[in-house]
Amino acid sequence: MSVDIGSGARIPGSGRVAWDEALAGEIVARGAARPGALLPILHALQEAFGYIDRQALPIVAEGLNISKAEVFGVASFYHDFKVAPGGAHVLKICRAEACQSMGAEDLVRRLEARRGLRIGETTADGRLTLEAVYCLGNCALSPAAMLDGALIGRLDAARLDAIVEGRAG
């Protein structure tokens, strides 16, 4: 389901809009008639806002005639759904075996030691969130990462520093 986020107040640098109850209601209404609508609606909410705000749970529940607990259960079960805002940019570092063998763990330790940024955390300025993934399917170019959905191969310390400092993508 494609999301038209219109002209809402955008979050700088992200292309997403700030939480908007009316927009959330529109997203739910547009998707409610689909069979198996819950997952596509949750994806659309996250696409629009960057996360699934807790205020969206009763809107989704009412729109689909299910309980808030069921909506929360699905939103919290799937690892890619976020229930809190993250950074304007999301860097996912692969921690699967091939990437580990090519230095991914050294890159994660570098971020922890030099930047104080750990997996699952966001920089103090809200610009970057760091996440772990377990295979991006780019093993031949490991260590691999993904920045805002764009695949990065052969990630090294210099490129990682540039990403964190906002100098490169």
Side-chain angles (χ1 to χ4, degrees):
M1 172 168 45
S2 173
V3 178
D4 177 12
I5 56 178
S7 60
R10 297 202 183 277
I11 300 168
S14 74
R16 298 184 307 249
V17 295
W19 166 250
D20 180 305
E21 185 174 343
L23 177 56
E26 289 174 28
I27 291 169
V28 172
R30 282 195 306 251
R34 284 177 78 163
L38 180 56
L39 284 174
I41 287 171
L42 292 176
H43 280 289
L45 289 167
Q46 183 155 297
E47 181 184 333
F49 304 115
Y51 71 108
I52 300 167
D53 195 290
R54 288 191 180 268
Q55 296 176 68
L57 301 180
I59 297 168
V60 174
E62 184 177 322
L64 298 179
N65 197 28
I66 59 177
S67 71
K68 289 183 281 189
E70 187 173 353
V71 177
F72 179 76
V74 171
S76 62
F77 175 79
Y78 290 100
H79 197 263
D80 264 355
F81 288 134
K82 308 297 176 222
V83 293
H89 302 282
V90 177
L91 176 64
K92 298 179 180 187
I93 296 182
C94 179
R95 298 181 87 181
E97 290 81 2
C99 289
Q100 284 183 33
S101 71
M102 296 301 289
E105 293 306 308
D106 292 336
L107 295 173
V108 170
R109 282 192 293 274
R110 178 184 183 86
L111 285 175
E112 290 177 355
R114 296 185 66 179
R115 309 279 179 194
L117 184 60
R118 291 181 163 67
I119 296 288
E121 294 181 346
T122 300
T123 55
D125 63 3
R127 199 184 61 72
L128 182 70
T129 296
L130 180 63
E131 297 179 354
V133 292
Y134 295 91
C135 196
L136 291 167
N138 201 27
C139 303
L141 299 176
S142 59
M146 185 173 280
L147 179 64
D148 297 334
L151 195 58
I152 300 169
R154 295 192 176 107
L155 183 64
D156 60 17
R159 188 151 186 211
L160 180 64
D161 288 345
I163 290 168
V164 172
E165 293 167 8
R167 293 185 282 117

